[in-house]
Amino acid sequence: MPSHNVIISNAVKRYGDFTAVDKISLTVKQGEFFTLLGPSGCGKTTLLRMIAGFNSVDEGAIHFADLLINNVPAHKRDIGMVFQNYAIFPHLTVWDNVAYGLKARRVNPQDIQRKVREALELVQIAPLAKRRPNELSGGQQQRVALARAFVIEPKVLLMDEPLSNLDAKLRVQMRGSLKKLQHRLGITTIYVTHDQEEALSISDRIAVMKDGRIMQVGTPSQIYMKPENPFVAGFIGISNFIECQIDAVDPREARLLLPDGDTIASVRLARPYQGGGMICVRPEQLIFSDNYGIQARIELATFLGDFVEYEVRLAGGQTLQVNEYTKDIADIRPADTPICVSLNPDRIIVYSEDAEVLTC
């Protein structure tokens, strides 16, 4: 299937005095599964609609490969689109829904038969070809929408929250199928979601957005393990933020101190820094100990199958979340148990007061 890269340069979209997309620049590589992730109102769907041609570009440029598409009508951009509500025709059979785009392009009838059959087999709904949408489950309707989008062999596939209307179990199943399908086809795909877990599980790269701007672009592991600012750290998964004083005259051995003056860790920083700051640490990166680390008390223990989620309160009053995997423990620690909490200095992120990353 043909495909190409998408280059967005300083793109801006305004609605009156409100800037929905604020000078965004991105390059989506050929054949890449690229996700726009962020909370509601961050501009991700607006940007997707600019790429699709449904929203105009007020400033900047969008290229498909070497072609500037700012003023190219949506129906001439050679894209496939999958919407949140699927938007399949209720009066047409599954076969006719998938064939619709090919017929509109006046493809040879023999080629239509072949392409539709291949598309239905690819999404595993060939036996349902004669059914109408009201006879299908939500997951089956979503597969119809996918087949209709890629059967026309678009150069770019755009998807706007396509799994959000499915129940939780089916959503997990479908995102696995979606990832396998996209990698098999090798088509450049831009995907919009607000679901962090979904983005981490299916994406080659992710752009995290806030207030119309890009906060970080990276692979799922980069986004999760090395968030470039506190917003990304707090939005992707669960993070504990611990206020601290940073004594880094020698950045090779910087001391991180709690407000009471106790040293919480010694870390290596990228540069000298003295002053207030913040430690970011994931719940699975905190370690319980009977006699080493920060003094704390367990407030709540929640059993979640493969791990136990603890809410612990430090002596200074701050609450942290700590996860222990059940394969590593014999018993669940009861509430009101005194405990010590330590952290791995190689796995934490340290930010300055200005939210600059200080760790190497």
Side-chain angles (χ1 to χ4, degrees), residues 229-272:
N229 52 72
F231 174 79
V232 174
F235 187 75
I236 303 294
I238 303 297
S239 290
N240 295 296
F241 294 101
I242 306 171
E243 292 186 3
C244 67
Q245 287 293 314
I246 304 171
D247 179 6
V249 175
D250 182 353
R252 294 169 299 179
E253 193 172 345
R255 290 196 307 146
L256 309 179
L257 297 90
L258 291 176
D260 61 10
D262 287 346
T263 299
I264 186 173
S266 293
V267 299
R268 184 184 183 90
L269 299 186
R271 65 175 179 85

Side-chain angles (χ1 to χ4, degrees), residues 316-337:
Q318 182 171 358
T319 300
L320 303 180
Q321 181 176 317
V322 183
N323 293 348
E324 275 195 321
Y325 288 91
T326 49
K327 67 180 181 62
D328 299 324
I329 60 174
D331 298 302
I332 298 175
R333 304 172 191 269
D336 207 36
T337 300

Side-chain angles (χ1 to χ4, degrees), residues 207-224:
V208 182
M209 295 182 62
K210 177 189 178 188
D211 298 333
R213 297 184 178 183
I214 300 296
M215 304 303 291
Q216 184 175 351
V217 177
T219 64
S221 61
Q222 289 169 341
I223 294 287
Y224 186 83

